Amino acid sequence: MSVVPLKALPIEQLRERSSTKWRTYPPDVLPMFVAETDFALAPAITAVLSRAVELGDTGYTPPDPGIRDAYVGFASRRFGWDVDPEGLRSTGDVVMGIVELLRRSIEPGDRVIVTPPVYPPFYDAIPEAGGVVERVPLVRGGAGYELDLDGIEAALREGARAILLCSPHNPTGTVHSRASLARLAEMAEAAGAVVVSDEIHAPLTQPGTAFTPFLDASDAAARVGFVVTSASKAFNLAGLKCALMIAGGERHRQVLRDLPAEVEWRTGLFGALAGVAAFSPESDAWLDSLLATLDINRRLLGELLAEHVPGARYDMPAAGYLAWVDLSRVGLGDNPAAKILREARVALHFGPAFGVEGRGHVRFNLGCAPEVLTEAVVKIGALIEK
Ligand SMILES: Cc1ncc(COP(=O)(O)O)c(C=O)c1O
């Protein structure tokens, strides 16, 4: 049965929203920066949240809101991954989870590897946990961006104590292979280092690409890794505050059990209710429809850039709705998004925020109607012709 692509909400309705995407810039700016999407919620989420509002069900999150079991089911259906619910705990959001796990895995001043260009808050999360950022940039292989495993091995040999992995990778949409994750785990184990794998974009892996949860990559990965994830990117629930921390090996499960109760108390009730609905089988068809729209948009962006922004370089993301575009040959300077915002009135994410590798780059958000994406690229094209 063919999947019907999900339709985005009309732009006039979106402009009534009060979230960051719609309230950061004036109304003449087309917002395509922060990772929020332009779709109505999955029906099961709307139903559960509407009922909670009717009931005034806005108290504290109960000890077991069902999010762990819901994720166990989702991971099994979507990734073929068998997760033991004993190895899961919730918290407010993915970045909080990363900070808490790193804080308990390193000593103050320890170096933590990141793989730029990468999600900018990683550069703040590591110092917040007491660590120091160690950069080992992605490299471009035959199949696009990939981890520099030799570089990571050298950094571990020189004393780095942890790796903060982005899997799938924001901003390139790279889905790391099982083999590379297994090798990473082996190297981490040999060095006595920990891997924290941020898998928030995993539910958005496109059909045809296999996503490997880090803890499922090998026995060593299960021992050295933590996964932090959430329904919040795929289902647009970022404001509701619910994420999951997952441990495979016994030592790391003990770390989860030893977390202060306060870490779990940060889980938002609406986030947990919405997350249970998102991860339930009832929302699978909605997610497939969203992926169909994102597939249309990731292809459309390539066509639009070829026509309106010749010189742009872009590899389609294999997961997620973020697109990393190299405009360094287009003549818009080191931070093209600044000029595009000022003169074309399109808000993209600033490339240099992802690390020095982001010089000359921009990040698009494809979680919108194809018409909106078209309008944005046409406006950027017009700026270049001037
Ligand atoms: C890789 C990555 N991690 C974490 C987040 C933020 O997640 P949260 O709001 O749950 O902290 C984002 C948001 O775009 C992201 O791209």
Side-chain angles (χ1 to χ4, degrees), residues 86-309:
E86 290 305 307
L88 277 85
R89 281 190 83 178
S90 67
T91 190
D93 63 35
V94 165
V95 175
M96 283 184 204
I98 290 170
V99 171
E100 295 307 329
L101 294 174
L102 279 179
R103 208 198 298 282
R104 283 157 185 86
S105 303
I106 60 170
E107 297 296 326
D110 278 350
R111 279 176 286 132
V112 178
I113 297 168
V114 294
T115 58
V118 76
Y119 180 57
F122 280 12
Y123 297 109
D124 292 332
I126 290 169
E128 190 181 341
V132 174
V133 173
E134 168 106 21
R135 299 156 32 81
V136 182
L138 295 179
V139 287
R140 276 182 82 90
Y145 286 98
E146 52 190 64
L147 296 171
D148 176 5
L149 290 168
D150 293 338
I152 292 173
E153 190 165 38
L156 288 170
R157 216 179 304 117
E158 285 157 23
R161 304 299 302 151
I163 302 155
L164 177 51
L165 191 66
C166 196
S167 178
H169 193 88
N170 170 3
T172 58
T174 308
V175 173
H176 304 300
S177 69
R178 179 178 292 275
S180 65
L181 296 174
R183 175 146 178 247
L184 184 70
E186 227 173 84
M187 292 172 351
E189 190 161 55
V194 163
V195 178
V196 177
S197 182
D198 174 343
E199 303 189 352
I200 197 168
H201 295 282
L204 293 168
T205 305
Q206 284 290 345
T209 299
F211 170 73
T212 305
F214 184 76
L215 297 180
D216 199 36
S218 67
D219 290 346
R223 288 190 292 271
V224 298
F226 290 104
V227 163
V228 189
T229 191
S230 172
S232 67
K233 284 301 115 183
F235 294 88
N236 202 37
L237 306 172
L240 302 187
K241 299 290 167 195
C242 176
L244 285 163
M245 300 167 288
I246 312 174
E250 184 42 40
R251 193 165 52 90
H252 282 187
R253 282 195 192 176
Q254 194 57 45
V255 173
L256 283 191
R257 283 193 285 269
D258 289 345
L259 286 170
E262 200 50 47
V263 173
E264 197 146 21
W265 274 99
R266 292 174 192 150
T267 310
L269 177 57
F270 273 26
L273 292 172
V276 170
F279 288 140
S280 78
E282 217 183 325
S283 294
D284 283 353
W286 183 93
L287 182 56
D288 291 336
S289 290
L290 171 65
L291 284 166
T293 299
L294 300 181
D295 184 39
I296 290 169
N297 282 354
R298 66 182 180 151
R299 292 172 196 282
L300 177 64
L301 179 61
E303 290 160 20
L304 289 167
L305 290 171
E307 186 181 344
H308 300 281
V309 193

Side-chain angles (χ1 to χ4, degrees), residues 325-347:
V325 179
D326 178 357
L327 296 180
S328 54
R329 295 183 303 183
V330 175
L332 296 176
D334 279 352
N335 186 10
K339 191 172 163 78
I340 290 170
L341 174 61
R342 254 189 340 263
E343 298 182 26
R345 310 304 283 160
V346 176

